[in-house]
Amino acid sequence: MIHSLFLVNSSGDIFLEKHWKSVVSRSVCDYFFEAQERASEPENVPPVIPTPHHYLISVLRHRIYFVAVIQSEVPPLFVIEFLHRVVDTFQDYFGVCTEAAIKDNVVVVYELLEEMLDNGFPLATESNILKELIKPPTILRTVVNTITGSTNVGEQLPTGQLSVVPWRRTGVKYTNNEAYFDVVEEIDAIIDKSGSTITAEIQGVIDACVKLTGMPDLTLSFMNPRLLDDVSFHPCVRFKRWEAERILSFIPPDGNFRLLSYHVSSQNLHPLRSASLVAIPVYVKHNITFREGSSQGRFELTLGPKQTMGKGVEAVLVSSQLPRGVLNTNLNPTQGTYTFDPVTKLLSWDVGKINPQKLPSLKGSMSLQAGASKPDENPTINIQFKIQQSALSGLKVNRLDMYGEKYKPFKGIKYMTKAGKFQVRT
Amino acid sequence: KYECFLLKNSDGFVPTEQDPEKLLSTTDIHDDLKEMLDSNKDSLKLEAMKRIVAMIARGKNASDLFPAVVKNVACKNIEVKKLVYVYLVRYAEEQQDLALLSISTFQRGLKDPNQLIRASALRVLSSIRVTIIVPIMMLAIKEAASDMSPYVRKTAAHAIPKLYSLDPEQKDCLIEVIEKLLADKTTLVAGSVVMAFEEVCPERIDLIHKNYRKLCNLLIDVEEWGQVVIINMLTRYARTQFLNPNMNVSTAGPHILYKEEKEKKKTEATAIVRRKPYVMDPDHRLLLRNTKPLLQSRNAAVVMAVAQLYFHLAPKAEVGVIAKALVRLMRSHSEVQYVVLQNVATMSIKRRGMFEPYLKSFYIRSTDPTQIKVLKLEVLTNLANETNISTILREFQTYIKSNDKDFVAATIQAIGRCATNIGEVRDTCLNGLVQLLSNRDELVVAESVVVIKKLLQMQPEQHSDIIKHMAKLTDNIQVPMARASILWLIGEYCEHVPKIAPDVLRKMAKTFTNEEDIVKLQIINLAAKLYLTNSKQTKLLTQYVLNLAKYDQNYDIRDRARFIRQLIVPTDKSGALSKYAKKLFLALKPAPVLESPFKDRDHFQLGSLSHLLNAKAGGYQVLPDWPEAAPDPSVRNVEVPEWTKCSSREKRKEKKADKPFYSDSEGESGPTESADSASDTASGSESGSGSEESGSGSESEESNEESESASEEDEEEEGKKKKKNVEKIKARKPVPESVQMFATICKPAWLNMQFLLNPLPVSVPQTIVPSGNLKTYELLHRITGEGLSVEYCFSRQPFSPDPHMVAVKIQFTNSATSEAKSLHVEDAKLQSGMRIKEFPEIEVLPAGETVSVVMGIDFCDSTQAANFQLCTHTRKFFVSIQPPVGELMMPIFMTENEFKKEQGQLMGMNEITEKLTLEEKCQGEHAIVQRVTTAANLSRVPCGSDKEFAGKTVTSGSLVLVSVVTKENGAAQLTVNCEKMVIGTMLVKDILQALTQ
């Protein structure tokens, strides 16, 4: 399946290669570089590139291209999903997935890749199994290893692969037993010129950090499981139980993992009503105009909270790609700071918290290229924000129970709402 | 040496071309590493290996170190060893002779008692691409394929494609191994062996028959990557074995092709010939049912695989379920989006209705990468119909204002396609596009021109003003394609613009030499057409243009000019053709159909690389067409071992007595259908119980076997055999649990017979422990209860009002001086799903008296306590009853063979094994049986050689199987198989405690 893997950095150097079958010359990447040149933006490189003898399937993460070489028919998503899993594993191991981190840990990277694929077919991709095989490098361990000459490779033979619950390590022990769950929702929305909602949907995840001794069996139930009709699960979740009782029952992996992700669209919130009923937490009043024949444009933007369930809107960041004709801006924010990059024409305004009594606004003028005609495109405004302690869809965890172990774990649940792809058209 | 060492040290991570390595000759550097590898210290070896691996990672050649590295293949240090393996696999191909030195190490490893070492030895051995060791590899694979450990067998499956690519001659031998491994029942092996099957012998579909049902049933427990491979393979399999579920359903949409229609007629015709309504093969249904939950997988590849399976195999009415899952994937990384959108684009042409509810999910954001935007546009265009077109066009209007010009161009084309497909909006679109002609961006204008040209061809008469408007554009617009389009339009409809056309030709003749080739060709075209319609004004111009073209650099243009001159300019030699010149040039041309590039792409299996590229990739297996008539479905029948047949025959007798008319009605109503519904209910009840995923094994497999036989019967002639057949069908019918219980309770004669034959004095009644031995628990102490003390015990009798409840016997003793009145239960605080059946109120309990009542509690198969209030006429007491896990089950009767079979189906996650040392007093068989049955409400399997116990949970009826295998010196092994893992785990603990204390 996957023949070889090349890691290419943003300047076009191949800085790591790994082959699972016979060696494929790195010159195969030339086809990739060609495609890269043709693409206007880095993310416009086609994920699948056919070459005379091979196919290149690539993903771009953290400004590194992971280019897999394929020789024959294989579902492209299979490879893409696997490459993303590789990146996730690196991130898990090294904290960040940068070129420097990969180069510093090249031996661990190689050992990981060796375990993850056998003859190009995925072998062990569960983080818990990998960590049993190869211990992640920490500063302490690096120091100890240098002094004592011990290694990162697990001394014990990995039993996880043989276990009935392959995602969990055996013999886990903690002095403080704790289980934390973060319910994070992102709202994706497109708001049109007049302020009405074109689409709005919520993408939620429940991320867990479980540090429990032994083999705990957890059940998590919701106050309103009705909301969750479009979900995907970590393999540990017992699907049948969910189908029957709408309870999440699972033996958790050790450490951090994504328990479930869900999608709440306007349809499943209110089956018969329109999209505008997903609560939109902020509104934007805007007035961006260019006049024909004048070298000035007006820019006015005011933000305000809308349906926030009584919680404050924080970490607000507004960004907008202004038309190419704009030379510079002269704007006054009532709070926060704004920057305008005359090269990329990117305006960004770090607002901070929205105070409902004194709404933040950004007003002023834009200077246009003299003599040029007025730009005919209108900029889109992208907004980011956070609302702590609430999940926009109203999803609430009812209770978490543990079976199979005797101790009393510490349990915690946190809610947060964020803006996902939140766009306002002008 | 020292200096060299330093340089080498820094080298590991410097990617620049000016490597310090290059400054020195390579041999020097490597001498240093060799020395380190030869040293006695593991730390030095490790350091050397790390640097070598870093070199390999950067693509540097380290092959000359081969001898020095291979020596360390048997190194004690695990990390060194692993890195040596990495090196070996990388360079063995280049250094074949030296690589042989390492083989003996691996051969030794293959015999290691530890399964992980065996597996790893096989893995490395099979990765060494040296042809000489092919026989050794073959032998190793064969041996590993029958290894005890499923992990080693998995590794063997992985090794098969490696050997095959090394030596395709071995195919036949390898197929044998694949056949053997396909029969493996563990989830660990399933994915890997199907992978090997796909690489080595995808055409041997016959190998799948016997394993088909097993693969379907195992699927949900296979690891995610294996799931993808299995699902894709099963899609192909199903296309060869089952009938098209949509063949009776009209697939006619608005855009039905002639070809499709023909095909449809053909299938309809065959349907009429057979005169049989379509009934889905139960195996087909099994596949659809067992893959559906995987739409919830976190792995996009799995979701896509299920989606394509449904698209290719499901009845039209059921395909809809995949839309939601695919739309969900669009939130993922942009590469995932890209692939998913490509597939959605293809699907949305065939089944538009499926994605219509999700229209808004395909709206475009300014931050999407261009390639995603274009694909979303494609989908939006495919989804457009009369009802939603106004919304879509409004959306398109916003897109036209984007500053991503490639995207704007794509939008204009999309508008064009909407306009051709939906007649109502054609004029609106055309007006919109004409407005775009005054756009400042040339690309936008050019694209609009091209699209307008296509639209105008549909009804040119009404739009001569638009043609005039476009004629004016020739002065400004520079994009060749647009210029060519305008010229073609004017030429084609020169009769609508008789005044302007010659003038345009005049201007064009002036700039002819500077035009692009496509424009030149259209100028010639225009000239020819004008010459034919208006030769008076344009004769000279035409000749001028043709003369220019005659000396053009491009031979196409020269050829065209020569051809046209001969055709239109009358000379004495001009042949018969010139008479028809006008007909040739000004024939009515059919309007172009603007088609999606994704049309008909679904002849490639969706989700495949070939589909994405719209070209056959190497190794692509064509998705076969549905067969006209289904091949024999009995090939999938798995031989039912003798014992099940026997026992089920007995059961049948009972059933017959129970329901004498069952058979007749079934015989009429079509056996397949009823069989299908039977298996449906089986799985339904199972999911209702909230059991483990893998649970599906037992019941559904059984039911399929029988439904299989039912459809088999279907094939056979009706009439003379009918009666007999019906009987057979019944024989294999899965016996509902209630009937099974009935069998246990009534103990028919044959059962007793068996007991008589059995020399051991064990039988079912023994498991019902006399109530005197039951452990009692305190519910309310005498002091807290103010003289009223309450105890309870689990009576282990069936609770007759509700068989899903555990019977709890409660004993009240009034040791107070006064009588207690109206004792009853109130205000039960129960976990969700739990239920209580209260005991009837005790009106009076005189002082010093004792009374017992029985209440039923449905614990929902959990050991959570049932909390409630116990009330007297004066007081209320909070009490709770917590059941030990052993009380949550009730015994069932099972033969040893049945036990073995059920146990075989509850493997993997559902099996828990513990080793233990029996306590001295408890080494006798009787003692063990005694202790186990005290700890858990199970019955011993009669005539078993081992000590086996069976029961089922009270609420959901999940099987609980326990076996204790004793060895010498009091060592023993305890195995518990239960679908409910929690129950299984807890039960193991309890029984362990009972046996060891």
Side-chain angles (χ1 to χ4, degrees), chain B residues 851-890:
Chain B
V851 69
S852 295
V853 289
V854 177
M855 68 187 287
I857 304 177
D858 178 358
F859 287 103
C860 264
D861 290 352
S862 80
T863 53
Q864 282 171 314
N867 302 310
F868 54 91
Q869 287 182 0
L870 203 59
C871 307
T872 68
H873 63 299
T874 50
R875 288 287 313 267
K876 290 179 177 182
F877 306 103
F878 286 96
V879 292
S880 76
I881 295 181
Q882 184 165 28
V885 66
E887 302 298 341
L888 294 174
M889 47 202 72
M890 53 191 183

Short mmCIF file of all heavy atoms in Angstrom, two decimals, chain B residues 851-890:
data_model
loop_
_atom_site.label_atom_id
_atom_site.label_comp_id
_atom_site.label_asym_id
_atom_site.label_seq_id
_atom_site.Cartn_x
_atom_site.Cartn_y
_atom_site.Cartn_z
N VAL B 851 -41.80 -12.64 59.13
CA VAL B 851 -42.54 -12.90 57.90
C VAL B 851 -41.60 -12.69 56.71
O VAL B 851 -40.69 -11.87 56.75
CB VAL B 851 -43.79 -12.01 57.81
CG1 VAL B 851 -43.43 -10.55 57.60
CG2 VAL B 851 -44.72 -12.48 56.70
N SER B 852 -41.79 -13.51 55.65
CA SER B 852 -40.95 -13.38 54.46
C SER B 852 -41.81 -12.98 53.26
O SER B 852 -42.93 -13.47 53.10
CB SER B 852 -40.26 -14.70 54.13
OG SER B 852 -39.38 -15.02 55.14
N VAL B 853 -41.26 -12.13 52.45
CA VAL B 853 -41.92 -11.76 51.19
C VAL B 853 -40.88 -11.81 50.08
O VAL B 853 -39.68 -11.83 50.34
CB VAL B 853 -42.54 -10.35 51.25
CG1 VAL B 853 -43.74 -10.34 52.14
CG2 VAL B 853 -41.50 -9.33 51.66
N VAL B 854 -41.36 -11.80 48.87
CA VAL B 854 -40.43 -11.79 47.74
C VAL B 854 -40.71 -10.56 46.90
O VAL B 854 -41.86 -10.24 46.61
CB VAL B 854 -40.61 -13.06 46.88
CG1 VAL B 854 -39.69 -13.00 45.66
CG2 VAL B 854 -40.31 -14.29 47.70
N MET B 855 -39.67 -9.83 46.55
CA MET B 855 -39.84 -8.74 45.61
C MET B 855 -38.91 -8.95 44.42
O MET B 855 -37.92 -9.69 44.50
CB MET B 855 -39.59 -7.39 46.27
CG MET B 855 -38.16 -7.12 46.68
SD MET B 855 -37.99 -5.60 47.61
CE MET B 855 -38.19 -4.37 46.34
N GLY B 856 -39.22 -8.32 43.32
CA GLY B 856 -38.40 -8.47 42.12
C GLY B 856 -37.70 -7.16 41.80
O GLY B 856 -38.26 -6.09 41.94
N ILE B 857 -36.43 -7.27 41.45
CA ILE B 857 -35.70 -6.06 41.06
C ILE B 857 -35.02 -6.34 39.73
O ILE B 857 -34.36 -7.36 39.56
CB ILE B 857 -34.63 -5.67 42.09
CG1 ILE B 857 -35.28 -5.50 43.47
CG2 ILE B 857 -33.91 -4.40 41.67
CD1 ILE B 857 -34.29 -5.17 44.56
N ASP B 858 -35.23 -5.44 38.80
CA ASP B 858 -34.49 -5.52 37.54
C ASP B 858 -33.26 -4.62 37.68
O ASP B 858 -33.38 -3.40 37.70
CB ASP B 858 -35.39 -5.04 36.41
CG ASP B 858 -34.65 -5.06 35.08
OD1 ASP B 858 -33.46 -5.41 35.07
OD2 ASP B 858 -35.29 -4.74 34.07
N PHE B 859 -32.09 -5.24 37.84
CA PHE B 859 -30.88 -4.44 38.07
C PHE B 859 -30.25 -3.95 36.78
O PHE B 859 -29.18 -3.36 36.78
CB PHE B 859 -29.84 -5.27 38.84
CG PHE B 859 -30.20 -5.48 40.28
CD1 PHE B 859 -30.71 -6.67 40.72
CD2 PHE B 859 -30.01 -4.45 41.19
CE1 PHE B 859 -31.03 -6.86 42.05
CE2 PHE B 859 -30.32 -4.63 42.52
CZ PHE B 859 -30.84 -5.84 42.96
N CYS B 860 -30.89 -4.26 35.67
CA CYS B 860 -30.34 -3.84 34.39
C CYS B 860 -28.94 -4.42 34.17
O CYS B 860 -28.08 -3.77 33.57
CB CYS B 860 -30.24 -2.33 34.30
SG CYS B 860 -31.62 -1.65 33.49
N ASP B 861 -28.68 -5.58 34.67
CA ASP B 861 -27.38 -6.22 34.53
C ASP B 861 -26.23 -5.38 35.06
O ASP B 861 -25.13 -5.35 34.50
CB ASP B 861 -27.10 -6.57 33.05
CG ASP B 861 -28.00 -7.70 32.60
OD1 ASP B 861 -28.70 -8.27 33.46
OD2 ASP B 861 -28.00 -8.00 31.40
N SER B 862 -26.49 -4.61 36.09
CA SER B 862 -25.37 -3.89 36.69
C SER B 862 -25.41 -4.12 38.19
O SER B 862 -26.44 -4.51 38.73
CB SER B 862 -25.47 -2.40 36.39
OG SER B 862 -26.39 -1.82 37.28
N THR B 863 -24.29 -3.88 38.84
CA THR B 863 -24.25 -4.14 40.27
C THR B 863 -24.57 -2.88 41.06
O THR B 863 -24.24 -2.78 42.22
CB THR B 863 -22.88 -4.66 40.70
OG1 THR B 863 -21.91 -3.74 40.23
CG2 THR B 863 -22.62 -6.03 40.13
N GLN B 864 -25.19 -1.94 40.40
CA GLN B 864 -25.54 -0.74 41.13
C GLN B 864 -26.67 -1.06 42.10
O GLN B 864 -27.51 -1.91 41.84
CB GLN B 864 -25.98 0.34 40.17
CG GLN B 864 -24.80 0.98 39.50
CD GLN B 864 -25.23 1.88 38.39
OE1 GLN B 864 -26.07 1.51 37.59
NE2 GLN B 864 -24.65 3.04 38.33
N ALA B 865 -26.67 -0.35 43.21
CA ALA B 865 -27.63 -0.65 44.26
C ALA B 865 -29.00 -0.10 43.89
O ALA B 865 -29.11 0.92 43.22
CB ALA B 865 -27.17 -0.03 45.56
N ALA B 866 -30.02 -0.80 44.32
CA ALA B 866 -31.38 -0.28 44.20
C ALA B 866 -31.71 0.38 45.53
O ALA B 866 -31.66 -0.26 46.58
CB ALA B 866 -32.34 -1.42 43.91
N ASN B 867 -31.99 1.65 45.49
CA ASN B 867 -32.29 2.38 46.73
C ASN B 867 -33.79 2.63 46.82
O ASN B 867 -34.41 3.03 45.86
CB ASN B 867 -31.58 3.74 46.72
CG ASN B 867 -30.09 3.57 46.58
OD1 ASN B 867 -29.49 2.79 47.30
ND2 ASN B 867 -29.50 4.27 45.62
N PHE B 868 -34.33 2.38 47.99
CA PHE B 868 -35.74 2.70 48.17
C PHE B 868 -36.02 2.91 49.66
O PHE B 868 -35.13 2.77 50.51
CB PHE B 868 -36.64 1.61 47.59
CG PHE B 868 -36.34 0.21 48.10
CD1 PHE B 868 -36.98 -0.28 49.22
CD2 PHE B 868 -35.40 -0.59 47.45
CE1 PHE B 868 -36.70 -1.56 49.69
CE2 PHE B 868 -35.12 -1.86 47.91
CZ PHE B 868 -35.77 -2.35 49.04
N GLN B 869 -37.23 3.28 49.95
CA GLN B 869 -37.60 3.49 51.34
C GLN B 869 -38.50 2.37 51.81
O GLN B 869 -39.39 1.95 51.09
CB GLN B 869 -38.35 4.82 51.50
CG GLN B 869 -37.43 6.00 51.37
CD GLN B 869 -38.18 7.29 51.58
OE1 GLN B 869 -39.39 7.29 51.82
NE2 GLN B 869 -37.47 8.39 51.48
N LEU B 870 -38.21 1.92 52.99
CA LEU B 870 -39.03 0.88 53.59
C LEU B 870 -39.88 1.59 54.64
O LEU B 870 -39.34 2.26 55.52
CB LEU B 870 -38.09 -0.14 54.25
CG LEU B 870 -38.62 -1.53 54.46
CD1 LEU B 870 -39.02 -2.14 53.11
CD2 LEU B 870 -37.54 -2.38 55.09
N CYS B 871 -41.18 1.51 54.52
CA CYS B 871 -42.03 2.30 55.40
C CYS B 871 -42.86 1.42 56.32
O CYS B 871 -43.34 0.37 55.93
CB CYS B 871 -42.99 3.15 54.58
SG CYS B 871 -42.15 4.12 53.35
N THR B 872 -42.96 1.89 57.52
CA THR B 872 -43.94 1.30 58.43
C THR B 872 -45.00 2.38 58.63
O THR B 872 -44.93 3.44 58.00
CB THR B 872 -43.31 0.95 59.78
OG1 THR B 872 -42.96 2.17 60.43
CG2 THR B 872 -42.07 0.11 59.60
N HIS B 873 -45.95 2.12 59.46
CA HIS B 873 -46.97 3.15 59.64
C HIS B 873 -46.43 4.38 60.34
O HIS B 873 -47.02 5.44 60.28
CB HIS B 873 -48.18 2.56 60.38
CG HIS B 873 -47.84 2.11 61.79
ND1 HIS B 873 -46.92 1.12 62.02
CD2 HIS B 873 -48.31 2.53 62.99
CE1 HIS B 873 -46.83 0.95 63.34
NE2 HIS B 873 -47.67 1.79 63.95
N THR B 874 -45.29 4.25 61.00
CA THR B 874 -44.74 5.43 61.68
C THR B 874 -43.46 5.97 61.06
O THR B 874 -43.22 7.16 61.05
CB THR B 874 -44.43 5.10 63.16
OG1 THR B 874 -43.66 3.90 63.17
CG2 THR B 874 -45.68 4.96 63.99
N ARG B 875 -42.63 5.09 60.57
CA ARG B 875 -41.29 5.53 60.15
C ARG B 875 -40.99 5.18 58.70
O ARG B 875 -41.64 4.33 58.11
CB ARG B 875 -40.23 4.84 61.03
CG ARG B 875 -40.16 5.35 62.46
CD ARG B 875 -39.52 6.73 62.52
NE ARG B 875 -38.31 6.81 61.74
CZ ARG B 875 -37.10 6.60 62.23
NH1 ARG B 875 -36.95 6.28 63.49
NH2 ARG B 875 -36.03 6.73 61.46
N LYS B 876 -39.97 5.86 58.19
CA LYS B 876 -39.46 5.49 56.87
C LYS B 876 -37.97 5.23 57.01
O LYS B 876 -37.27 5.97 57.69
CB LYS B 876 -39.65 6.65 55.88
CG LYS B 876 -41.09 6.88 55.52
CD LYS B 876 -41.22 8.04 54.56
CE LYS B 876 -42.68 8.20 54.16
NZ LYS B 876 -42.86 9.29 53.21
N PHE B 877 -37.49 4.18 56.40
CA PHE B 877 -36.06 3.87 56.46
C PHE B 877 -35.50 3.83 55.05
O PHE B 877 -36.08 3.19 54.17
CB PHE B 877 -35.83 2.51 57.12
CG PHE B 877 -36.46 2.38 58.47
CD1 PHE B 877 -37.64 1.67 58.64
CD2 PHE B 877 -35.89 3.01 59.56
CE1 PHE B 877 -38.22 1.56 59.86
CE2 PHE B 877 -36.48 2.90 60.81
CZ PHE B 877 -37.65 2.18 60.97
N PHE B 878 -34.38 4.50 54.88
CA PHE B 878 -33.71 4.42 53.58
C PHE B 878 -32.90 3.13 53.55
O PHE B 878 -32.07 2.91 54.43
CB PHE B 878 -32.77 5.60 53.38
CG PHE B 878 -33.53 6.86 53.09
CD1 PHE B 878 -33.83 7.76 54.10
CD2 PHE B 878 -33.94 7.13 51.79
CE1 PHE B 878 -34.53 8.91 53.83
CE2 PHE B 878 -34.63 8.29 51.52
CZ PHE B 878 -34.94 9.18 52.52
N VAL B 879 -33.13 2.31 52.57
CA VAL B 879 -32.36 1.07 52.48
C VAL B 879 -31.90 0.89 51.04
O VAL B 879 -32.41 1.53 50.12
CB VAL B 879 -33.21 -0.15 52.89
CG1 VAL B 879 -33.51 -0.11 54.36
CG2 VAL B 879 -34.46 -0.24 52.05
N SER B 880 -30.91 0.03 50.89
CA SER B 880 -30.49 -0.25 49.53
C SER B 880 -30.08 -1.71 49.41
O SER B 880 -29.58 -2.31 50.34
CB SER B 880 -29.34 0.67 49.12
OG SER B 880 -28.16 0.24 49.71
N ILE B 881 -30.33 -2.25 48.25
CA ILE B 881 -29.96 -3.64 47.97
C ILE B 881 -28.95 -3.64 46.85
O ILE B 881 -29.21 -3.10 45.77
CB ILE B 881 -31.19 -4.47 47.55
CG1 ILE B 881 -32.16 -4.56 48.72
CG2 ILE B 881 -30.78 -5.84 47.06
CD1 ILE B 881 -33.39 -5.36 48.44
N GLN B 882 -27.79 -4.19 47.15
CA GLN B 882 -26.78 -4.25 46.08
C GLN B 882 -26.49 -5.71 45.78
O GLN B 882 -26.11 -6.47 46.66
CB GLN B 882 -25.50 -3.54 46.53
CG GLN B 882 -24.48 -3.51 45.43
CD GLN B 882 -23.38 -2.53 45.69
OE1 GLN B 882 -23.07 -2.26 46.84
NE2 GLN B 882 -22.78 -2.02 44.65
N PRO B 883 -26.66 -6.11 44.56
CA PRO B 883 -26.49 -7.52 44.24
C PRO B 883 -25.02 -7.85 43.95
O PRO B 883 -24.33 -7.05 43.31
CB PRO B 883 -27.31 -7.69 42.96
CG PRO B 883 -27.20 -6.35 42.29
CD PRO B 883 -27.04 -5.33 43.38
N PRO B 884 -24.51 -8.98 44.43
CA PRO B 884 -23.23 -9.45 43.93
C PRO B 884 -23.43 -9.83 42.47
O PRO B 884 -24.56 -10.19 42.08
CB PRO B 884 -22.92 -10.69 44.77
CG PRO B 884 -24.02 -10.83 45.73
CD PRO B 884 -25.12 -9.92 45.36
N VAL B 885 -22.39 -9.76 41.69
CA VAL B 885 -22.55 -9.96 40.25
C VAL B 885 -23.12 -11.34 39.94
O VAL B 885 -23.88 -11.53 39.00
CB VAL B 885 -21.24 -9.67 39.50
CG1 VAL B 885 -20.18 -10.68 39.88
CG2 VAL B 885 -21.45 -9.68 38.00
N GLY B 886 -22.78 -12.31 40.79
CA GLY B 886 -23.24 -13.67 40.54
C GLY B 886 -24.74 -13.84 40.61
O GLY B 886 -25.29 -14.84 40.14
N GLU B 887 -25.42 -12.86 41.21
CA GLU B 887 -26.87 -12.98 41.33
C GLU B 887 -27.60 -12.36 40.16
O GLU B 887 -28.82 -12.37 40.10
CB GLU B 887 -27.33 -12.31 42.64
CG GLU B 887 -26.68 -12.87 43.89
CD GLU B 887 -26.99 -14.34 44.11
OE1 GLU B 887 -27.95 -14.86 43.53
OE2 GLU B 887 -26.23 -14.98 44.86
N LEU B 888 -26.85 -11.74 39.26
CA LEU B 888 -27.50 -11.06 38.14
C LEU B 888 -27.80 -12.01 37.00
O LEU B 888 -28.18 -11.60 35.92
CB LEU B 888 -26.60 -9.94 37.63
CG LEU B 888 -26.39 -8.80 38.61
CD1 LEU B 888 -25.39 -7.83 38.06
CD2 LEU B 888 -27.71 -8.10 38.86
N MET B 889 -27.57 -13.30 37.27
CA MET B 889 -27.76 -14.23 36.16
C MET B 889 -28.61 -15.40 36.60
O MET B 889 -28.86 -15.60 37.79
CB MET B 889 -26.41 -14.72 35.66
CG MET B 889 -25.48 -15.15 36.77
SD MET B 889 -23.76 -15.10 36.26
CE MET B 889 -23.44 -13.37 36.18
N MET B 890 -29.09 -16.14 35.64
CA MET B 890 -29.81 -17.34 35.99
C MET B 890 -29.30 -18.49 35.13
O MET B 890 -28.81 -18.28 34.03
CB MET B 890 -31.29 -17.15 35.80
CG MET B 890 -31.70 -16.65 34.44
SD MET B 890 -33.41 -16.20 34.59
CE MET B 890 -33.83 -15.72 32.99
#
